[in-house]
Amino acid sequence: MDHAAILERITASMRAAPDVGEVARYIPELASVDPNQFGICIALADGQVFASGDADRRFSIQSISKVFTLALALGRFGERLWQRVGREPSGQPFNSILQLEHEKGIPRNPFINAGALVVTDAILAGHAPREVLGELLRFVRAAAGDEDIHIDEAVARSETDHGDRNMALAHFMAAHGNFENRPALTCGTYFHQCAIEMTTRQLALAGRFLIGGPRSGGLISPASVRRINALMLTCGHYDGSGDFAYRVGLPGKSGVGGGILVIAPGRASIAVWSPGLNQHGNSQLGTLAAERFAQATGWSVFG
Ligand code: GLN
């Protein structure tokens, strides 16, 4: 299979795409990003790496960080984590508060904002935010094999200044006894984790720990690899998760910075980035590119 040619073809057709979607405006620092950018990179299980387009431009990974914090939390708490957060698709937007009232402050899954806040709250308990963010960066850098991965403070500040909705989710869960730290402390840590900046290439390399098998690097257990992939497939794109599974057929996690991490179990970690989003807050061209990639390679978890 000529991976390089596949990526070049996809990049060329994304450059010509008429509708690139809309950048996230609710985080002012992200609103100024040029939507006409596209990058794709694949890191194969055998160690080969192929990249195309703007694959070396840094972007805000936002909700893709939820995959890394979940990996840390599963390592630390194991099955106990599921007492505080569910593992069902929500069918709701990523920042919805609707179900929380019905379900008594237990979020549906770790990838919607409420669920990710609980995960961050859990790993934060008993530690300073600086320590937890340090541990997270160490994990991401080890996974990527690259020390040059950092938090963009301007993005973290921008979200902190406009974080009322996430603060509301946190307070609501605190009211139900499902929060261990002050909402402002957990939200501040969460905004910083979301503000990690990476290139598409770094993200593809970092995702290798989810491929499974000997090349996964042993950062997490094989059982956690399978479970995180299951959650990415069912919940990684919020109320667009079913559509992503139908079109791409591989587990994926999106972020409002326009990145998507896609895992082809046993084969590769794939990252795509284009800042324009669709109506669900998932990258418009990133989704299309992942779909084209899956078609070109024939890779799918469904055979
Ligand atoms: N930091 C963003 C938020 O909490 C992450 C959302 C996302 O990437 N979907 O709103």
Side-chain angles (χ1 to χ4, degrees), residues 69-78 80-81 219-221 224 228:
T69 48
L70 177 62
L72 289 182
L74 281 177
R76 199 169 318 154
F77 306 107
R80 268 186 300 142
L81 185 67
L219 278 175
I220 61 172
S221 70
S224 287
I228 294 173

Side-chain angles (χ1 to χ4, degrees), residues 26-27 30 61-64 66 94-95 111 113 159 166 190-191 194-195 238 253-257 280-282:
Y26 75 102
I27 302 174
L30 298 183
I61 69 165
Q62 292 295 320
S63 283
I64 302 170
K66 296 168 180 174
F94 64 86
N95 55 6
F111 291 151
N113 284 9
E159 198 173 1
N166 282 313
Y190 168 81
F191 296 145
C194 289
Y238 319 112
K253 181 73 207 83
S254 67
V256 289
H280 299 301
N282 303 316

Side-chain angles (χ1 to χ4, degrees), residues 278-301:
N278 63 21
Q279 77 274 23
H280 299 301
N282 303 316
S283 176
Q284 167 93 3
L285 294 190
T287 307
L288 188 58
E291 181 178 17
R292 296 265 171 87
F293 181 81
Q295 280 166 355
T297 55
W299 293 354
S300 165
V301 292

Side-chain angles (χ1 to χ4, degrees), residues 57-229:
R57 197 79 51 83
R58 285 175 201 271
F59 65 91
S60 194
I61 69 165
Q62 292 295 320
S63 283
I64 302 170
S65 67
K66 296 168 180 174
V67 170
F68 301 108
T69 48
L70 177 62
L72 289 182
L74 281 177
R76 199 169 318 154
F77 306 107
E79 293 294 304
R80 268 186 300 142
L81 185 67
W82 306 117
Q83 293 168 6
R84 296 186 59 188
V85 56
R87 3 174 238 259
E88 291 296 342
S90 70
Q92 300 287 333
F94 64 86
N95 55 6
S96 173
I97 199 165
L98 264 185
Q99 281 164 343
L100 268 187
E101 170 128 49
H102 285 297
E103 298 175 4
K104 304 197 172 5
I106 308 288
R108 272 286 172 101
N109 68 65
F111 291 151
I112 52 172
N113 284 9
L117 285 166
V118 162
V119 169
T120 299
D121 187 65
I123 55 177
L124 184 58
H127 302 271
R130 204 172 2 92
E131 290 170 42
V132 169
L133 291 169
E135 185 186 356
L136 175 61
L137 279 174
R138 276 196 297 284
F139 183 93
V140 175
R141 288 168 181 163
D146 189 340
E147 289 298 304
D148 190 18
I149 295 172
H150 311 275
I151 291 171
D152 181 336
E153 287 294 336
V155 171
R157 220 172 310 117
S158 180
E159 198 173 1
T160 307
D161 291 343
H162 296 82
D164 294 326
R165 205 169 167 115
N166 282 313
M167 283 289 282
L169 293 170
H171 278 287
F172 199 82
M173 291 187 284
H176 279 282
N178 192 16
F179 234 60
E180 294 185 71
N181 306 281
R182 280 187 297 108
L185 199 70
T186 297
C187 285
T189 309
Y190 168 81
F191 296 145
H192 279 79
Q193 83 181 48
C194 289
I196 292 176
E197 270 195 322
M198 289 168 90
T199 67
T200 307
R201 185 188 302 271
Q202 287 173 326
L203 182 60
L205 289 167
R208 291 172 301 179
F209 80 104
L210 291 170
I211 298 175
R215 282 278 180 165
S216 251
L219 278 175
I220 61 172
S221 70
S224 287
V225 168
R226 284 194 293 275
R227 288 169 177 155
I228 294 173
N229 273 290

